[in-house]
Amino acid sequence: MLNCAKTELMYRVLYTALIFASYLYPVAADQTVVFTDVTERAGITFKHTDGRSGEFYYVEIVGSGAAFFDYDNDSDLDIYFVNGADLPGHHSDQRPANALYRNNGNGTFTDVTASAGVGDTGYGTGCCVGDIDNDGYLDLYVTNYGKNVLYRNHGDGTFSDVTADAHVGDERWGASCAFADYDRDGHLDLYVTNYVQFQLDRNVPYFFNGIRAYAEPQAFAGEPDVLYRNNGNATFTDVTQTAGVLNLRGRGLGVVWADYDNDGYPDIYVANDTNENCLFRNNRDGTFSDVAFYAGVGLSENGEMENGMGVDFEDYDNDGLLDIIVTNFEGQPATLYHNDGNGFFTDVSYVSGTGEKTLSSLGWGVHFFDYDNDGYKDIFIANGHVYDNVELFQPGVTYAQVNHLFRNRGDGSFQEVTIDAGLSQKEPSRGAAFGDYDNDGDIDILVTNSNGKPQLFRNDGGNRNHWIKVRAMGTVSNRAAIGARVEVMTEALSQVSEVKSGSGYLCQNDLIVHFGLGSSTVVEKLVVTFPAGTVYEMEQVPADQLIEIKEPKARQE
């Protein structure tokens, strides 16, 4: 075995060679990145069940999510799938259940659901992760049509259902969920969206142009969302009303936490189906104010309520301000809101080039991510219709649809590259989770499909450009550092992102923050601002590596 000195010399020589090679053989801007479907070879056999029996129960339309997270702290991303359940008139040979797949570290996964104890059999919808007890292991929250479930991670490969003790077992129709420390006390709080009031035993037949189909969301009263405050002992208190986030009209589907106004406190954006969306600004005193209408992000640019599904916050134009994207129903574009930096946003859906392309599709999962590592956040949208028989009454419209991948041109506009990137498959897609499951420096995509098998798309070629990944660990702040802001500066660009629990639609992305660096081989400056206000800085950081940053003990306000 090499000693430390020889090992360091070897890496220095290799690093120098890589830098020299990058100048001799610069990355071509037009080199195509291709996503390869590796689901089968990865050993993933999970299949989603929505329980359809021809009765068109409304609960069948929403699909379910998945999570990329490292539950066993071995530095390899594992996968959790949320499943539906049998409904009246549908009987599975084996009872549908959620599934946990452990990453073997060689591109394959092993189903460890039984040994881990996380095979919930409720009618599942979404999931998110966070370290609720700050013990260094990520816990798992699952939303259901019915009672939600909180699994505590014991750190030995097993979980326990602690829902009752934690007081987070809401029994309404839960959808997306996300953890964040909104009061900066070092303990993760939880926001859960609730959809509508639907009862299986009151399923009224609905017809579209004389053909039996699923009802429209307006046929049901909305359910209000719920905000739980962490009491500091892994139990929670419902503070929805006192915190000012009670929305009786409800119909929430997507949620994301982020500090859009750069005041150091996380805010909340909620995508609502057929109601105006909500932007809850954190008042920094334990309460929130809905400023969506004032900020220009509650309605479309025409002042219309849209069918909000999924949502994400990121800085797509590298101006230091987090922008918003919301997916919607067909006939409505995926709405892209540019953060103008003064408390206002501008709808740039059509100006950016994404509006026209998304008008004819029905979008769900969405995420800003840099798939080609050029330093600009691109956009992925998962598409699929709600009506499995839509072809019967809307000629030319299909249930299974092609997803969208938009490449950021770096000038505020986007180019659709879906087909060129190998993503031409048609599926009734719903959720999408993102992370570097094979640790090769580029971001891979996991897509969930309604009543079908998921798709794991491996990114092939994104790592031709340079990159850096940051894993933040809290000490004064919450251990998972959710809400930490990471800034990366090279000679060419300055980028910012945040550690986020939940986002998109029903899904959880990797908590490691990823940045593409283009041709830059060194990060001139890297800054992590933790939720407690503590700041950690590094300079002259070599590219193409994972940096782990532990929060300094000294707290800064």
Side-chain angles (χ1 to χ4, degrees):
M1 182 178 291
L2 293 174
N3 61 35
C4 293
K6 288 183 178 180
T7 302
E8 181 178 1
L9 177 61
M10 180 183 72
Y11 278 115
R12 285 182 179 274
V13 170
L14 178 60
Y15 178 64
T16 302
L18 288 171
I19 293 177
F20 183 67
S22 71
Y23 285 106
L24 288 177
Y25 306 102
V27 177
D30 61 350
Q31 282 185 312
T32 301
V33 175
V34 175
F35 287 88
T36 304
D37 188 339
V38 295
T39 315
E40 185 175 348
R41 75 183 76 170
I44 296 172
T45 59
F46 174 84
K47 182 181 182 297
H48 176 251
T49 299
D50 65 9
R52 67 181 66 177
S53 62
E55 291 299 317
F56 293 92
Y57 293 111
Y58 192 63
V59 69
E60 298 166 10
I61 72 168
V62 299
S64 61
F68 263 136
F69 78 119
D70 183 8
Y71 82 92
D72 52 0
N73 288 357
D74 66 352
S75 297
D76 292 312
L77 279 180
D78 311 298
I79 297 174
Y80 187 75
F81 290 108
V82 180
N83 208 346
D86 285 340
L87 296 175
H90 183 278
H91 303 283
S92 300
D93 294 335
Q94 183 174 351
R95 189 177 186 184
N98 299 351
L100 176 64
Y101 282 82
R102 183 181 183 276
N103 191 328
N104 299 321
N106 59 2
T108 66
F109 293 80
T110 299
D111 187 337
V112 295
T113 311
S115 60
V118 290
D120 185 50
T121 55
Y123 198 101
T125 46
C127 61
C128 65
V129 302
D131 188 352
I132 63 166
D133 49 7
N134 290 330
D135 67 349
Y137 290 91
L138 293 173
D139 308 298
L140 174 67
Y141 190 75
V142 179
T143 59
N144 287 314
Y145 170 69
K147 187 177 180 180
N148 299 335
V149 180
L150 175 62
Y151 289 108
R152 181 178 178 271
N153 190 335
H154 295 296
D156 60 0
T158 68
F159 294 75
S160 291
D161 182 342
V162 296
T163 313
D165 291 339
H167 309 297
V168 290
D170 195 319
E171 297 187 5
R172 292 171 290 183
W173 184 355
S176 294
C177 52
F179 288 100
D181 183 8
Y182 76 85
D183 51 3
R184 304 204 324 180
D185 65 353
H187 302 286
L188 286 176
D189 312 300
L190 174 64
Y191 191 99
V192 182
T193 64
N194 286 312
Y195 192 33
V196 299
Q197 299 176 20
F198 170 76
Q199 295 176 277
L200 292 172
D201 59 356
R202 296 183 181 179
N203 188 45
V204 178
Y206 177 83
F207 295 87
F208 194 97
N209 292 344
I211 299 172
R212 182 78 184 271
Y214 294 102
E216 296 180 341
Q218 296 95 326
F220 310 99
E223 288 278 23
D225 301 338
V226 59
L227 174 62
Y228 295 105
R229 183 181 184 273
N230 192 324
N231 299 320
N233 57 0
T235 69
F236 294 79
T237 298
D238 183 342
V239 295
T240 311
Q241 188 163 355
T242 57
V245 296
L246 180 63
N247 177 15
L248 295 175
R249 299 180 66 188
R251 297 201 188 103
L253 284 175
V255 62
V256 60
W257 291 86
D259 181 11
Y260 83 92
D261 52 2
N262 293 349
D263 68 351
Y265 284 78
D267 311 293
I268 314 167
Y269 190 83
V270 180
N272 295 312
D273 190 2
T274 69
N275 290 331
E276 63 272 14
N277 298 330
C278 300
L279 175 59
F280 293 112
R281 186 188 63 207
N282 194 323
N283 297 326
R284 299 183 290 181
D285 61 0
T287 68
F288 296 81
S289 297
D290 188 355
V291 298
F293 184 77
Y294 171 81
V297 294
L299 307 169
S300 72
E301 65 177 349
N302 297 322
E304 298 175 344
M305 291 185 292
E306 296 179 307
N307 298 80
M309 309 287 191
V311 61
D312 196 24
F313 253 125
E314 278 291 351
D315 178 16
Y316 75 84
D317 57 351
N318 292 337
D319 64 354
L321 300 167
L322 300 179
D323 312 295
I324 303 173
I325 189 167
V326 186
T327 55
N328 294 299
F329 204 80
E330 66 174 351
Q332 305 166 357
T335 310
L336 180 61
Y337 296 107
H338 176 263
N339 189 334
D340 299 330
N342 53 5
F344 297 97
F345 291 76
T346 300
D347 185 337
V348 295
S349 307
Y350 289 101
V351 175
S352 70
T354 60
E356 182 180 356
K357 296 290 185 179
T358 57
L359 196 59
S360 60
S361 52
L362 199 162
W364 300 86
V366 62
H367 187 51
F368 289 106
F369 76 121
D370 188 358
Y371 81 91
D372 53 1
N373 284 348
D374 67 349
Y376 288 91
K377 296 290 191 297
D378 312 296
I379 299 171
F380 179 89
I381 298 175
N383 297 317
H385 214 283
V386 296
Y387 300 126
D388 58 357
N389 59 351
V390 65
E391 294 93 340
L392 298 178
F393 48 84
Q394 285 185 255
V397 179
T398 59
Y399 179 55
Q401 299 183 356
V402 177
N403 299 323
H404 289 302
L405 178 63
F406 293 101
R407 182 178 182 273
N408 192 329
R409 291 190 175 105
D411 60 1
S413 68
F414 293 82
Q415 172 191 5
E416 181 161 20
V417 294
T418 310
I419 305 304
D420 291 341
L423 297 169
S424 61
Q425 305 90 339
K426 282 188 175 184
E427 295 287 349
S429 298
R430 293 296 187 264
F434 299 78
D436 183 8
Y437 83 89
D438 52 359
N439 291 327
D440 66 350
D442 48 33
I443 300 299
D444 311 296
I445 308 173
L446 176 66
V447 178
T448 66
N449 298 310
S450 185
N451 209 48
K453 294 181 178 180
Q455 294 163 293
L456 177 61
F457 292 107
R458 186 186 65 208
N459 185 324
D460 292 329
N463 57 8
R464 295 191 188 105
N465 275 321
H466 297 290
W467 52 273
I468 196 160
K469 297 191 292 186
V470 179
R471 177 189 286 125
M473 296 170 286
T475 55
V476 179
S477 304
N478 69 88
R479 184 70 175 270
I482 291 170
R485 173 165 289 217
V486 184
E487 299 171 83
V488 166
M489 287 149 271
T490 65
E491 290 184 349
L493 293 172
S494 292
Q495 302 179 61
V496 64
S497 190
E498 291 186 358
V499 181
K500 290 182 296 188
S501 166
S503 74
Y505 176 73
L506 308 180
C507 286
Q508 172 70 56
N509 304 317
D510 183 14
L511 293 178
I512 291 176
V513 181
H514 168 274
F515 296 93
L517 302 177
S519 60
S520 297
T521 57
V522 175
V523 173
E524 300 293 330
K525 190 174 184 179
L526 189 157
V527 181
V528 179
T529 303
F530 288 85
T534 319
V535 179
Y536 186 93
E537 298 185 5
M538 297 178 69
E539 295 184 353
Q540 300 301 306
V541 183
D544 304 330
Q545 63 171 319
L546 168 65
I547 298 291
E548 295 187 345
I549 297 177
K550 190 174 183 179
E551 180 181 19
K553 291 288 187 180
R555 179 167 180 155
Q556 302 175 12
E557 294 294 345

